[in-house]
Amino acid sequence: MGAWSPLHFGAVWDNRGMQVFGNYINGEWVTAGPTFENRNPANTDEVVGLMAKGSAADVERAAEAAQAAFPKWSQLAGPARGNYLFKVAELLDQRFDAIAAEMTREEGKTLPEAKGETRRAINIFRYFGGEGSRLPGFLVPSERDRVHMFALRKPLGVVGLITPWNFPIAIPAWKLAPALICGNTVVLKPASASPLCAWRIVEACHDAGIPPGVVNFVAGSGGELGSALLNAKALRAVSFTGSTEIGHWIHAEASKRRLRIQLEMGGKNPTIVLADANFAAAVENVVNAAFFSTGQKCTATSRAIVEEPIYDRFLDALIERTKKLKVGDGMSAGVDIGPAIDQAQLDTNIRYCEIGAKEAGAPRVGGKRVTGPGYDKGFFFEPTIFADVTSEMRIAQEEVFGPVLAVMKAKDAADALRIANEIPLGLSSSIQTSSLSHAFDFIYGAEAGLLTVNLPSAGVEYQLPFGGTKDSSFGPKEQGPAAMEFYSDLKTIYLKY
Ligand code: NAP
């Protein structure tokens, strides 16, 4: 293999001299046909790439290719599959800086955030590469004489992966790596707003020599390709991360065919701040979780529930700290908060600020699009805080997915936990306290799948299960050892000797 450059042979150039990134079906790059633009949300004049726009027929072909590749791939020894994943990790590592910069240009997050996410994707491939040598089943003693009984893990077949735009490399990685190590073959449909990072993983899979048909990639309209994927005859399972609305639709469609599904959806995550917390650390943790990555994390804090004795002081400190955050192009040093992903998300931020202002009064800081030189061509929005929010307000119940924080007052720790749980969603939840008792009351009482104590509500690692509860999630958890549950089945054997 020659030296890698970001202009890879899987991409061709259109008649304006622009790079077109192809779909990947049965080991071949498919660039013919219509394309769609991938624009920089910090500067919409910049086209980061032109993506080949896949069709329903492409999805069907991809699923057939995956089905044809399944017998050989699934019979390969686990450690041999692991070696391919190690190779993918190595290639991504070699391309680390270019991929991170491309992520900032296509998704808008700051370069340090993009580097952190790229590193995580590499670690995920290494972690699941190692799982190839384990793939644990069960071996237990029988009640009967001379009976040997055990259970083996076996792959499902063709798995569809549908990913969102906000973690454009980590989420494709944390679905693809466990799917492959378990022996499945895959059709990956990335988010249209940030497909290039997922494309880079597929490119690394190709360069690592993963056999044709094992990994397939089709970019394009979620509605069209999503339906085609759910109807593809070869499909056995779908793992989806995205909005609650689309997740519920996938649930309904997949149930008609009894497909195995895993849905990770929205959050409206609380951070409880008690009077006994380390005050300065709690301010940092709330600001970090609410505003970094532009609030576009499913685990972001969007409700700060603060105990009465420190409420006013904490609110003032939050506002002061938030005013110091720098909004701008994520490629520039010193920028804390990049742009919203697109015009639709910017409009959502603006709409929810109007709703919040009617419900809770004017925001105490922020609430507006950032304009002026260096901002007018991007989707920049001020980090925003509403105060004195109460649970019945929409700003306390509905996911904004932007840098908008609702601050709520609680009488005491028990009241704070009640408010935190007073919502249909349950992805992540956090508490800031120095009391072991309050921490454990929270650990046992919080209705969420991911909990943090004295840390931001966002910022998880890949070695433990990931996923929510209530309306945020459906099906087995992702990441860590739990990921194997979704991507494999158990075959139980009783043997008399
Ligand atoms: P989205 O609009 O639901 O899209 C997610 C993916 O589904 C995209 O690839 C999209 O394609 C595709 N899609 C759209 N319509 C579809 C359909 N009818 N059938 C099948 N697929 C379809 O979500 P998003 O705006 O990308 O992401 C933001 C949401 O994701 C937020 O709600 C956030 O909380 C959630 N999220 C959750 C987690 C978690 O782990 N719980 C993690 C990250 C994000 P197109 O892009 O082409 O429309």
Side-chain angles (χ1 to χ4, degrees), residues 57-408:
D58 290 327
V59 168
E60 186 55 40
R61 273 199 315 120
E64 282 167 10
Q67 189 173 35
F70 176 70
K72 231 172 153 180
W73 180 251
S74 59
Q75 283 160 27
L76 202 61
R81 289 199 295 267
N83 285 339
Y84 282 113
L85 267 58
F86 291 136
K87 184 70 187 164
V88 171
E90 191 187 317
L91 290 168
L92 292 174
D93 213 347
Q94 286 166 13
R95 302 165 185 183
F96 177 84
D97 287 321
I99 292 174
E102 209 164 53
M103 188 188 309
T104 294
R105 287 167 56 227
E106 87 161 350
E107 201 271 355
K109 62 181 63 183
T110 65
L111 190 57
E113 288 169 335
K115 285 185 175 176
E117 188 184 333
T118 306
R119 178 61 52 208
R120 186 155 143 207
I122 293 165
N123 289 342
I124 287 167
F125 273 95
R126 294 215 168 101
Y127 175 89
F128 284 106
E131 284 295 290
S133 306
R134 288 183 282 269
L135 289 174
F138 299 99
L139 175 63
V140 292
S142 170
E143 289 184 350
R144 290 169 283 181
D145 187 37
R146 296 178 74 75
V147 169
H148 186 73
M149 55 192 238
F150 58 106
L152 296 175
R153 283 200 182 275
K154 65 180 190 72
L156 306 175
V158 179
V159 179
L161 310 177
I162 304 177
T163 57
W165 49 262
N166 66 328
F167 284 103
I169 199 162
I171 295 179
W174 84 48
K175 292 184 191 300
L176 186 58
L180 293 179
I181 204 66
C182 286
N184 303 287
T185 55
V186 164
V187 179
L188 169 60
K189 147 73 187 107
S192 297
S194 58
L196 196 45
C197 286
W199 193 94
R200 290 292 179 202
I201 297 186
V202 173
E203 176 193 43
C205 290
H206 174 87
D207 292 347
I210 291 182
V214 172
V215 175
N216 302 275
F217 171 95
V218 187
S221 148
E224 183 186 350
L225 304 191
S227 297
L229 192 56
L230 287 163
N231 286 317
K233 241 171 63 210
L235 201 75
R236 288 288 161 269
V238 186
S239 177
F240 166 85
T241 300
S243 61
T244 306
E245 184 194 355
I246 302 292
H248 287 176
W249 180 81
I250 288 179
H251 185 207
E253 288 302 300
S255 301
K256 292 177 190 162
R257 290 187 53 194
R258 290 176 302 283
L259 292 174
R260 180 179 291 211
I261 51 174
Q262 178 179 56
L263 308 174
E264 286 301 338
M265 301 170 284
K268 185 75 187 176
N269 311 303
T271 293
I272 294 172
V273 183
L274 298 184
D276 61 25
N278 176 328
F279 190 89
V283 172
E284 281 308 309
N285 287 342
V286 170
V287 166
N288 173 307
F291 300 131
F292 285 19
S293 295
T294 322
Q296 297 176 152
K297 287 179 178 170
C298 53
T299 49
T301 287
S302 48
R303 297 178 292 149
I305 304 167
V306 185
E307 204 176 358
E308 203 160 13
I310 59 160
Y311 181 86
D312 291 335
R313 194 161 68 91
F314 193 80
L315 179 61
D316 288 345
L318 268 186
I319 292 168
E320 282 319 300
R321 178 70 182 91
T322 301
K323 282 181 180 163
K324 293 194 181 114
L325 295 174
K326 188 164 165 29
V327 179
D329 185 334
M331 291 300 277
S332 306
V335 163
D336 300 299
I337 300 178
I341 182 71
D342 57 16
Q343 184 68 49
Q345 183 58 54
L346 183 67
D347 291 345
T348 301
N349 296 349
I350 293 168
R351 194 173 72 251
Y352 270 100
C353 283
E354 288 164 3
I355 292 168
K358 278 191 199 134
E359 292 178 325
R364 302 293 288 271
V365 62
K368 293 192 299 295
R369 180 175 189 166
V370 185
T371 52
Y375 292 105
D376 287 342
K377 291 190 172 162
F379 304 116
F380 297 101
F381 195 75
E382 295 172 337
T384 301
I385 295 179
F386 286 98
D388 304 335
V389 173
T390 48
S391 272
E392 76 288 354
M393 296 179 186
R394 286 180 65 189
I395 200 82
Q397 292 290 325
E398 297 172 18
E399 184 182 47
V400 180
F401 217 53
V404 180
L405 176 69
V407 183
M408 309 170 81

